[in-house]
Amino acid sequence: MQVNRRAFLAGGAAAAAGLTMLPQSRAVDIPLPAQEAVLKLSSQLGVIPGGSLEEKLDKMQGWGFDGVEVGGDVIGNEQKYLDAIANTDMQYNAICWGSCNGDLVSDDAERRKRGVDKLKQALESAGKIKSTGVIYVPAFIPETNRTNQEIRQLLVETFPAIGEFAVSVGSRVLFEPLNRNEAFFLRQLADAASICRDINSPGVQMMGDFYHMYIEETSDLGAFLSAGSYLHHVHLASRIRVLPGQDERSFVDGFRGLKLIGYQDYCSFECGCKEGTDRHEEIPKSLEFLREQWAQA
Amino acid sequence: MQVNRRAFLAGGAAAAAGLTMLPQSRAVDIPLPAQEAVLKLSSQLGVIPGGSLEEKLDKMQGWGFDGVEVGGDVIGNEQKYLDAIANTDMQYNAICWGSCNGDLVSDDAERRKRGVDKLKQALESAGKIKSTGVIYVPAFIPETNRTNQEIRQLLVETFPAIGEFAVSVGSRVLFEPLNRNEAFFLRQLADAASICRDINSPGVQMMGDFYHMYIEETSDLGAFLSAGSYLHHVHLASRIRVLPGQDERSFVDGFRGLKLIGYQDYCSFECGCKEGTDRHEEIPKSLEFLREQWAQA
């Protein structure tokens, strides 16, 4: 059906080009994004074999990664991380930070203040290493008794100031929607995007994770289109949360969405490696698989 | 930018056709829907001027409507409605039913049973008039103290049986997402679609309303793609909830979504008419405006 699929989308241009593949009514003109999307591949360091940061970065460079996602341990160790990556062609992207025990949405004002201070530390660190942002989860299931309504209202009230701080240190918050087994609040990209719109700060944006999306989204394409310009990071994992290509999970429909929104940031491994397989063989195969999926999108 | 926009989408076909409008990388191949989408225009009877059902249907037929959306008063009066539409080319679509005071998600088992019985009556009536379904809102804001988590769980537990009944009488339930000023539970199409997927019954489907979507969705296109095959009704209204075309609200991006999912059901007016304007002039103008927006999509 390749030809038909293309013809369907080409209807408008086909008519313009004097071809008659399908009636004009079959054409759908979706606006061209400001910039052509790019596939920049990255990984969390934990996915990469190696005993030291230098060894991991060396392997990643050799395998052709474009970027590196770091954990909270970068905070206070920025120079060490900057020195280690200086001799590679790679850049750091997101800091995978988390929920801070749900402190920022706690009923306890003291805990909320503590949480905000810690997030600000992470944002400063993110600015120093030129990260795309700090991945933030409002609350995992056991961390809150608040309703979605209460949490959403609290975020919309408190995050404009945090966003302003994020911009002042050259970074941003990245809300991460999770699946129902990890969080009930914030499970879909469209919801995260509407919260970002309400907060209305360039310092408060969002991400998507193919593993959670498989559980919560009915359309990867629809989800990324709803995320639109708020999307600044993507996590890559298969259906069973191993390396892309190690099970049947397709990335093509999601990659169509990234192409249609002109996505400019990183797609980063947050996953395991299928039992009994060797990361040294499987990681390069997964990168190749993803480039093929991007070409198909 | 027309040419660029088309070229963007045409990249794949352009390459296939031996043209070189843009590099292959700019092409996005979105699968062809099983059937080509159709724009079938409808209205709630309350929007149409006229003293009697017959007079309203006569005007709608003259203005070129394809379908008619009815209210709860059809229940028990099916034959009267069937007789009235028999001499027109139009069909009935959704019954706009509502929340039944939130009875179906009440804490009170008796109220829940009463609500289910009433919804079943509406579904039987919908089957008799060959309606596309019964529009159902789980709860308006003042009607529930339950959390989103509780309401979602209750729907997923109780609606498979209701869906089975709906199919047995030749109809379906249509969940309607509303905006935050009317309901906090169920505000986005992607959320409704994921609930439909969990309930997993052909008798429990969903709708979208352009008025609510303007407030809650960041992308009409993304929202309708997420709704996908679960979408069986659409409400039409402008940003300020008057006739489409009476303010700046665009329907093009949403209509792109309907085309991409191969939408086969009705788009129906649920709106007022701008103060100081005459429905007899404005309704035909609005129909023409919508057909132009569809052609642009």
Side-chain angles (χ1 to χ4, degrees):
Chain A
M1 295 297 294
Q2 271 309 81
V3 173
N4 277 351
R5 285 212 298 276
R6 288 176 167 162
F8 166 63
L9 284 167
L19 310 173
T20 54
M21 288 172 169
L22 277 174
Q24 177 68 34
S25 64
R26 301 305 286 273
V28 179
D29 289 340
I30 299 174
L32 180 68
Q35 290 175 275
E36 180 175 357
V38 287
L39 178 64
K40 296 194 290 191
L41 293 166
S42 166
S43 179
Q44 292 187 352
L45 287 163
V47 179
I48 308 298
S52 68
L53 173 60
E54 290 68 19
E55 192 184 342
K56 287 170 183 277
L57 293 181
D58 187 55
K59 286 201 168 88
M60 290 179 75
Q61 168 87 1
W63 285 329
F65 278 99
D66 306 292
V68 181
E69 178 175 334
V70 295
D73 59 303
V74 73
I75 300 164
N77 301 307
E78 296 82 10
Q79 198 52 54
K80 170 189 143 197
Y81 275 84
L82 288 168
D83 294 344
I85 207 165
N87 305 325
T88 75
D89 309 322
M90 302 182 291
Q91 279 81 39
Y92 291 119
N93 46 69
I95 296 179
C96 196
W97 190 66
S99 70
C100 195
N101 313 308
D103 283 351
L104 287 90
V105 296
S106 163
D107 295 329
D108 174 349
E110 265 313 305
R111 270 185 67 193
R112 287 203 302 276
K113 188 188 174 313
R114 219 168 39 236
V116 170
D117 292 342
K118 285 192 179 158
L119 178 52
K120 285 181 173 177
Q121 280 174 22
L123 288 163
E124 282 177 325
S125 182
K128 287 179 189 162
I129 63 164
K130 302 185 170 30
S131 156
T132 46
V134 174
I135 297 172
Y136 168 66
V137 171
F140 290 93
I141 287 169
E143 296 173 340
T144 186
N145 295 317
R146 291 200 168 193
T147 65
N148 281 18
Q149 199 156 4
E150 291 166 339
I151 296 173
R152 191 186 202 282
Q153 187 178 344
L154 187 60
L155 295 177
V156 171
E157 285 167 4
T158 56
F159 271 69
I162 295 169
E164 208 172 305
F165 177 85
V167 170
S168 75
V169 296
S171 189
R172 57 169 84 90
V173 175
L174 298 168
F175 283 118
E176 180 175 23
L178 302 176
N179 77 76
R180 61 194 65 185
N181 304 310
E182 299 184 27
F184 183 74
F185 179 78
L186 202 52
R187 292 174 292 110
Q188 294 190 307
L189 273 62
D191 192 17
S194 82
I195 293 168
C196 289
R197 183 174 64 178
D198 290 357
I199 292 169
N200 190 26
S201 166
V204 183
Q205 304 287 302
M206 63 177 285
M207 62 168 291
D209 180 315
F210 273 92
Y211 167 71
H212 299 302
M213 289 168 71
Y214 188 85
I215 298 167
E216 296 298 336
E217 304 288 356
T218 50
S219 167
D220 294 331
L221 172 59
F224 280 132
L225 284 169
S226 293
S229 62
Y230 299 111
L231 191 79
H232 287 282
H233 196 58
V234 170
H235 274 165
L236 299 167
S238 75
R239 182 181 62 76
I240 61 168
R241 214 168 194 175
V242 293
L243 289 164
Q246 289 196 309
D247 64 31
E248 74 285 5
R249 170 60 152 142
S250 170
F251 294 74
V252 172
D253 196 51
F255 283 171
R256 287 183 188 123
L258 297 182
K259 285 186 175 184
L260 287 173
I261 65 174
Y263 185 65
Q264 299 296 313
D265 294 294
Y266 291 84
C267 294
S268 187
F269 288 155
E270 180 183 63
C271 57
C273 183
K274 202 170 182 180
E275 212 181 329
T277 65
D278 177 359
R279 287 170 193 259
H280 290 88
E281 290 170 15
E282 296 298 318
I283 290 171
K285 271 164 60 181
S286 187
L287 292 173
E288 181 56 27
F289 167 77
L290 288 163
R291 293 197 179 95
E292 285 163 10
Q293 296 266 294
W294 183 264
Q296 284 175 45
Chain B
M1 294 298 291
Q2 271 308 83
V3 173
N4 278 351
R5 284 213 299 277
R6 287 178 167 161
F8 166 63
L9 283 166
L19 309 174
T20 55
M21 289 172 169
L22 276 175
Q24 176 68 34
S25 65
R26 302 306 286 273
V28 179
D29 289 341
I30 299 174
L32 180 68
Q35 290 174 274
E36 180 176 357
V38 287
L39 177 64
K40 295 194 291 189
L41 293 167
S42 166
S43 178
Q44 292 187 351
L45 286 164
V47 179
I48 308 300
S52 67
L53 174 59
E54 290 67 21
E55 192 186 342
K56 287 169 183 276
L57 293 180
D58 188 55
K59 286 200 167 86
M60 290 179 74
Q61 167 88 359
W63 285 330
F65 279 99
D66 305 293
V68 181
E69 178 175 336
V70 295
D73 59 301
V74 72
I75 300 164
N77 300 307
E78 297 81 11
Q79 197 52 53
K80 170 190 141 196
Y81 274 84
L82 287 168
D83 294 344
I85 207 165
N87 306 326
T88 76
D89 308 320
M90 302 181 291
Q91 279 82 38
Y92 291 118
N93 46 69
I95 296 178
C96 196
W97 190 66
S99 70
C100 195
N101 314 309
D103 284 351
L104 287 90
V105 296
S106 162
D107 294 330
D108 174 349
E110 265 313 303
R111 268 186 68 193
R112 286 203 302 276
K113 188 189 174 311
R114 214 165 45 232
V116 170
D117 292 343
K118 284 193 179 157
L119 177 53
K120 286 182 172 178
Q121 280 174 22
L123 287 163
E124 282 178 326
S125 183
K128 287 180 189 161
I129 64 163
K130 301 185 171 31
S131 156
T132 47
V134 175
I135 296 173
Y136 169 64
V137 171
F140 289 93
I141 287 170
E143 295 174 340
T144 187
N145 296 317
R146 291 199 167 193
T147 66
N148 281 17
Q149 198 156 6
E150 291 167 337
I151 297 172
R152 192 186 201 281
Q153 186 179 345
L154 186 61
L155 295 177
V156 171
E157 286 168 2
T158 56
F159 270 68
I162 294 169
E164 206 171 308
F165 177 85
V167 170
S168 75
V169 295
S171 189
R172 59 169 83 91
V173 175
L174 297 168
F175 283 117
E176 179 174 26
L178 302 176
N179 77 76
R180 62 195 63 187
N181 303 311
E182 300 184 27
F184 183 76
F185 178 79
L186 202 51
R187 291 173 293 112
Q188 294 190 307
L189 274 60
D191 191 17
S194 82
I195 293 168
C196 290
R197 183 174 62 178
D198 290 358
I199 291 169
N200 189 29
S201 166
V204 183
Q205 305 286 302
M206 63 177 284
M207 62 167 291
D209 180 315
F210 273 91
Y211 167 71
H212 300 302
M213 289 169 69
Y214 187 86
I215 298 168
E216 297 299 337
E217 306 287 356
T218 50
S219 167
D220 294 332
L221 172 58
F224 280 133
L225 285 169
S226 293
S229 62
Y230 299 110
L231 191 79
H232 286 282
H233 196 58
V234 170
H235 274 166
L236 299 168
S238 75
R239 181 180 63 76
I240 59 168
R241 214 169 195 176
V242 292
L243 289 164
Q246 289 195 310
D247 64 31
E248 74 286 0
R249 171 58 153 143
S250 170
F251 294 74
V252 173
D253 197 51
F255 283 171
R256 289 183 186 121
L258 298 182
K259 285 186 175 184
L260 287 173
I261 65 174
Y263 185 66
Q264 297 297 312
D265 294 295
Y266 291 84
C267 294
S268 187
F269 289 156
E270 180 185 61
C271 58
C273 182
K274 201 170 183 181
E275 211 179 330
T277 65
D278 177 359
R279 288 171 192 257
H280 290 90
E281 291 169 12
E282 296 298 319
I283 290 171
K285 271 164 59 182
S286 187
L287 292 172
E288 182 54 28
F289 166 78
L290 289 163
R291 294 198 178 94
E292 285 162 8
Q293 296 265 296
W294 183 264
Q296 284 174 45

